[in-house]
């Protein structure tokens, strides 16, 4: 279950304070665990639960996970890790019409990629809510027998009209007074497929005058004649999410059920349901406790599933794994790191207050991790040929270069040096601007790891465009030799040997949206798409990069952090994606 250093000091927050208080009070020490989910009788026959706490990450498998899910994953798995507990991965697959195996597989991969596990040599806590349908049906039957649920035969429009408003109480359904026997019979006939979709619905019997609309006899079971990805055609009645979710938590012995703030109004029903089912002996006490925290809101990002689907279906992006998408499959392809997500989640913390997090904080977390881990390489993104006129034609020599300036243990590599080099086009100006320190006629600069050169002119084409720069080198000034400091220069240039470099496709990714609040006000969020969110170029790379493996990350010196694309890179021919620039280029409101 480990991810990151669990011994590192962890900032406290209100959720950890709750957990600390529960542990200090011994709230959960008498819980029993049979080794798998089940009703109270099964659990009580088992030994004491070895896990001090149990949390869960319960995605519905109807889409790809995004940055907001990463925050929840780090929170739930991190709590279980830090408190000697267990975190379950549960697929909340109670809706047969929206869920697909493709999404199940992608979610498993994403959680693993982030560095977390739901299993060890003692437990495997990967679960499907659909495996609990028999128990959920039994819980619904208990509520009917206890007079706490009834079958309503109103139409959806009638139910809506009778529900009331925030200021007006609802009205009792004319079917609310059905007898236990009639409700039981109707519910079984619903299960047996005798009625079409929408003909009846099972509702909890609570209080139609409650100021909390969620307690006005909420629906708990509906008819859906649809094939389920896991249970096939066994069922044609399915539990509503608000009914299924608390039962799932209880069946799995979850102690702290952590969810986002939009479920806060549902907590009274969560508690009502579990208390009644525990009172009836179906569920073990203490029942799970629901705790809400604010969801992730990032500038320059949309996390709405509807909007993400629109981006994909209308082909504004290449797919769910487009490196500009805020999905975890996109993040992985972009070159973002699991460690960067952990650091970001730790820094933003958890709270009850909704807030908008600046995307710079996310990028800074990624930069910090990549700066530590990524080996350095040289790539020339806008190549201009530099010719050293007094260097022998056909000759080459080796320059020894450190792979990481702060990690000598990562060793060195060799960069070949020759008469003709590629340099960045911005490193030469025929008529230099004030303060310009790189190459211009008459000026000297150092070729990093190589020699000091003096610019003597340039070649141009018929349109006046510079096609090559001419220099002369000072033979006694090679880096690492006694004469290296004999000539003082202010400019320091990156380069690759024309003879030894190889051209490669490089994708310069940037933020997908140009506005910090896409679609705010009355704007269509698509109007805020950044037209420069990706640029495809052919760059000249140092020969060592030819051996880069898919998902291998590097800092291209001066340019930023790049990753070999996990799908398009081939042996000996990697394609690189820019993960993030070396510094924030949006800090002043412009790229």
């Amino acid at each position: 279950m480990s991810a990151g250093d669990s011994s590192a000091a962890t900032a406290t927050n209100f959720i950890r304070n709750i957990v600390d208080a529960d542990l200090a009070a011994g709230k959960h020490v008498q819980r029993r665990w049979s080794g798998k989910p089940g009703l109270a009788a099964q659990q009580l026959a088992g030994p004491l639960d070895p896990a001090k706490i149990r949390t869960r990450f319960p995605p519905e498998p109807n889409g790809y996970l995004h940055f907001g899910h990463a925050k929840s994953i780090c929170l739930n798995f991190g709590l279980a890790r830090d408190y000697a507990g267990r975190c379950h991965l549960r697929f909340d697959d109670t809706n047969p019409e929206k869920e697909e195996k493709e999404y199940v597989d992608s979610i498993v991969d994403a959680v693993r990629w982030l560095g977390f596990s739901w299993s060890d040599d003692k437990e495997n806590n990967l679960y499907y809510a659909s495996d609990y349908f028999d128990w959920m049906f039994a819980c619904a039957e208990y509520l009917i027998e206890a007079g706490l649920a009834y079958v309503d035969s109103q139409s959806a429009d009638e139910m809506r009209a009778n529900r009331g408003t925030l200021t007006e109480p609802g009205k009792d359904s004319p079917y609310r007074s059905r007898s236990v026997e009639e409700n039981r019979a109707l519910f079984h006939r619903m299960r047996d497929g005798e009625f079409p979709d929408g003909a009846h619905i099972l509702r909890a019997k609570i209080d139609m005058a409650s100021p909390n609309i969620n307690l006005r006899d909420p629906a708990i079971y509906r008819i859906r004649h649809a094939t389920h990805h896991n249970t096939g055609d066994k069922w044609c009645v399915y539990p509503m999410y608000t009914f299924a979710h608390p039962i799932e938590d209880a069946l799995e012995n979850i102690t702290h059920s952590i969810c986002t703030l939009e479920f806060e109004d549902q907590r009274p029903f969560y508690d009502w349901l579990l208390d009644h089912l525990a009172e009836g002996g179906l569920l073990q006490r203490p029942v799970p406790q629901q705790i809400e925290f604010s969801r992730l809101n990032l500038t320059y990002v949309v996390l709405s599933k509807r909007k993400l689907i629109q981006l994909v279906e209308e082909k504004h992006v290449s797919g769910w794994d487009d490196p500009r998408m805020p999905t975890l499959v996109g993040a992985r392809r972009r070159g973002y790191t699991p460690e960067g997500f952990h650091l970001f989640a730790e820094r933003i913390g958890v709270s009850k207050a909704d807030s908008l997090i600046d995307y710079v904080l996310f990028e800074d977390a990624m930069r910090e991790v990549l700066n530590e881990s990524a080996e350095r390489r040289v790539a020339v993104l806008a190549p201009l040929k530099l010719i050293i006129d007094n260097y022998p034609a056909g000759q080459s020599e080796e320059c020894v270069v450190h792979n990481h300036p702060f990690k000598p243990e990562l060793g060195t590599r060799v960069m070949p040096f020759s008469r003709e080099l590629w340099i960045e086009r911005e490193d030469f100006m025929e008529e230099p601007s004030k303060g310009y320190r790189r190459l211009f006629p008459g000026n000297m600069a150092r070729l990093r790891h190589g020699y000091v050169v003096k610019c003597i002119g340039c070649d141009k084409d018929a349109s006046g465009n510079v096609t090559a720069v001419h220099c002369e080198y000072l033979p006694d000034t090679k880096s690492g030799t006694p004469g290296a400091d004999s000539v003082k220069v202010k400019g320091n240039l990156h380069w690759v040997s024309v003879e030894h470099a190889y051209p490669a496709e490089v994708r310069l990714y940037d933020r997908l949206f140009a506005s910090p609040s896409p679609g705010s006000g009355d704007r269509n969020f698509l109007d805020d798409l950044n037209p420069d969110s990706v640029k495809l170029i052919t760059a000249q790379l140092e020969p060592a990069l030819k051996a880069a493996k898919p998902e291998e990350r590097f800092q291209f010196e001066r340019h930023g952090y790049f990753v070999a694309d996990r799908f398009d890179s081939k042996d000996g021919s990697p394609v690189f994606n820019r993960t993030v620039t070396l510094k924030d280029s949006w800090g002043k409101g412009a790229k």
Side-chain angles (χ1 to χ4, degrees):
M1 152 120 55
S2 65
D5 182 6
S6 62
S7 65
T10 303
T12 190
N13 55 58
F14 79 97
I15 295 177
R16 288 179 178 270
N17 291 340
I18 292 172
V19 174
D20 288 337
D22 288 345
L23 292 177
K27 179 178 178 180
H28 305 291
V29 294
Q30 296 303 314
R31 286 178 307 116
R32 295 185 175 270
W33 174 242
S34 66
K36 58 184 179 180
L39 296 173
Q42 172 188 312
Q43 300 297 5
L44 291 172
L48 292 175
D49 194 337
K52 290 186 177 180
I53 67 169
R54 287 186 185 268
T55 59
R56 83 289 174 271
F57 175 63
E60 183 180 3
N62 65 350
Y64 288 85
L65 300 185
H66 55 59
F67 290 7
H69 294 113
K71 176 182 178 181
S72 180
I73 291 168
C74 290
L75 173 59
N76 281 288
F77 280 91
L79 283 170
R81 173 197 65 207
D82 296 343
Y83 286 96
R86 294 284 190 275
C87 184
H88 299 184
L89 175 60
R90 177 207 308 148
F91 290 102
D92 226 320
D93 57 345
T94 57
N95 187 341
E97 297 175 316
K98 293 184 178 181
E99 293 141 6
E100 297 180 18
K101 182 67 163 54
E102 171 191 354
Y103 299 134
V104 170
D105 293 341
S106 73
I107 290 167
V108 166
D109 287 344
V111 176
R112 283 179 174 155
W113 176 72
L114 281 174
F116 296 106
S117 176
W118 46 88
S119 63
D120 55 26
D121 57 351
K122 297 179 181 178
E123 294 188 13
N124 178 19
N125 293 306
L126 174 64
Y127 302 116
Y128 292 83
S130 55
D131 289 336
Y132 310 153
F133 281 164
D134 287 301
W135 289 324
M136 292 180 192
F137 192 85
C139 289
E141 286 184 305
Y142 167 78
L143 293 180
I144 290 172
E145 298 293 339
L148 297 171
Y150 64 97
V151 174
D152 195 350
S153 303
Q154 294 181 97
S155 69
D157 288 340
E158 289 171 331
M159 287 181 61
R160 192 177 301 111
N162 289 331
R163 195 180 187 206
T165 67
L166 292 174
T167 57
E168 297 179 358
K171 299 177 182 178
D172 285 356
S173 165
Y175 305 99
R176 199 173 192 266
S177 58
R178 276 174 166 159
S179 68
V180 168
E181 293 74 17
E182 186 179 4
N183 283 316
R184 183 196 312 119
L186 278 171
F187 189 47
H188 283 212
R189 291 173 65 192
M190 290 167 58
R191 177 199 60 189
D192 295 340
E194 293 187 26
F195 305 111
D197 291 5
H200 304 286
I201 197 164
L202 185 68
R203 300 176 71 178
K205 186 185 290 186
I206 306 180
D207 182 4
M208 288 300 293
S210 172
N212 184 340
I213 291 182
N214 297 293
L215 293 179
R216 294 180 187 176
D217 292 6
I220 58 177
Y221 256 93
R222 81 284 204 199
I223 302 171
R224 283 289 183 274
H225 290 274
T227 301
H228 190 280
H229 79 96
N230 187 28
T231 60
D233 295 318
K234 177 181 178 180
W235 297 93
C236 60
V237 291
Y238 291 94
M240 304 296 288
Y241 176 84
T242 52
F243 175 77
H245 189 251
I247 294 174
E248 294 159 21
D249 285 344
L251 293 171
E252 293 179 20
N253 244 17
I254 301 303
T255 58
H256 301 87
S257 178
I258 302 167
C259 55
T260 46
L261 279 175
E262 62 263 34
F263 295 101
E264 188 171 29
D265 289 343
Q266 293 287 354
R267 185 170 7 114
F269 177 64
Y270 184 101
D271 294 340
W272 178 93
L273 177 63
L274 293 186
D275 283 343
H276 280 292
L277 294 177
E279 184 179 323
L282 279 81
L283 301 178
Q284 179 182 199
R285 290 190 185 274
V287 295
Q289 177 182 0
Q290 177 176 304
I291 306 168
E292 307 87 16
F293 71 100
S294 62
R295 67 189 308 162
L296 178 64
N297 297 298
L298 271 176
T299 59
Y300 296 97
V301 167
V302 296
L303 295 177
S304 157
K305 187 171 293 183
R306 176 184 61 81
K307 292 179 179 179
L308 294 178
I309 291 172
Q310 187 176 350
L311 287 170
V312 173
E313 291 184 347
E314 295 181 3
K315 301 188 183 305
H316 300 288
V317 293
S318 62
W320 288 100
D321 64 353
D322 188 303
R324 297 167 293 175
M325 286 281 279
T327 55
L328 295 188
V329 287
R332 180 175 180 177
R333 193 169 184 185
R334 177 80 171 255
Y336 293 142
T337 68
E339 297 81 6
F341 275 103
H342 299 164
L343 181 59
F344 176 63
E346 181 182 330
R347 284 181 173 171
I348 62 174
V350 293
S351 71
K352 281 278 192 180
D354 271 324
S355 60
L356 187 62
I357 306 298
D358 195 322
Y359 199 76
V360 169
L361 295 178
F362 175 78
E363 291 181 320
D364 281 347
M366 292 298 167
R367 286 189 186 100
E368 184 168 328
V369 168
L370 288 166
N371 183 52
E372 284 290 315
S373 61
E375 291 193 7
R376 275 45 169 175
R377 294 292 186 269
V378 178
V380 177
L381 304 188
L384 174 63
K385 185 174 288 187
L386 181 145
I387 302 170
I388 306 174
D389 291 349
N390 63 336
Y391 193 90
Q395 178 177 310
S396 66
E397 59 185 286
E398 296 180 345
C399 295
V400 178
V401 183
H402 288 282
N403 286 325
H404 197 295
F406 313 120
K407 293 188 174 182
E409 67 273 17
L410 294 179
T412 60
R413 67 189 189 282
V414 170
M415 284 184 62
F417 183 91
S418 61
R419 185 173 188 266
E420 294 188 358
L421 308 173
W422 294 115
I423 63 170
E424 292 291 345
R425 186 164 292 274
E426 66 180 19
D427 287 346
F428 172 77
M429 292 182 71
E430 189 175 12
E431 297 180 4
S433 57
K434 185 177 180 181
Y436 189 76
R437 295 178 176 180
R438 283 164 272 180
L439 290 180
F440 55 87
N443 194 45
M444 291 193 297
R446 174 170 292 282
L447 297 173
R448 186 169 166 82
H449 311 299
Y451 297 92
V452 172
V453 294
K454 181 177 182 180
C455 181
I456 59 174
C458 63
D459 298 334
K460 299 181 182 180
D461 62 18
S463 301
N465 300 310
V466 175
T467 57
V469 177
H470 288 268
C471 288
E472 292 180 345
Y473 85 116
L474 283 62
D476 297 329
T477 60
K478 187 176 182 181
S479 296
T481 68
D485 297 327
S486 61
V487 179
K488 302 295 185 182
V489 293
K490 294 182 178 179
N492 200 327
L493 312 185
H494 292 74
W495 52 270
V496 293
S497 166
V498 171
E499 178 185 353
H500 302 89
Y502 77 99
E505 179 180 330
V506 174
R507 301 158 179 171
L508 302 178
Y509 287 106
D510 211 325
R511 300 181 186 180
L512 183 57
F513 291 96
S515 167
S517 301
S520 62
D522 296 327
R523 294 197 315 276
N524 183 335
F525 80 106
L526 296 175
D527 293 338
D528 290 325
L529 284 168
N530 175 14
D532 297 318
S533 61
V534 61
K535 294 179 181 178
L536 305 182
I537 64 171
T538 299
Q540 296 290 339
L541 278 56
E542 68 163 282
L545 283 168
K546 201 166 188 177
K549 303 300 182 185
E551 296 195 84
E552 196 170 359
R553 303 178 184 91
F554 302 94
Q555 183 194 104
F556 287 1
E557 297 188 20
R558 282 179 57 182
H559 297 301
Y561 297 97
F562 291 73
V563 65
D565 189 274
R566 62 184 298 221
F567 299 122
D568 295 336
S569 295
K570 310 300 180 187
D571 285 347
S573 183
V575 172
F576 288 95
N577 302 329
R578 182 171 68 189
T579 304
V580 65
T581 54
L582 288 179
K583 59 182 179 180
D584 175 32
S585 57
W586 292 69
K588 296 181 180 179
K591 286 183 59 185

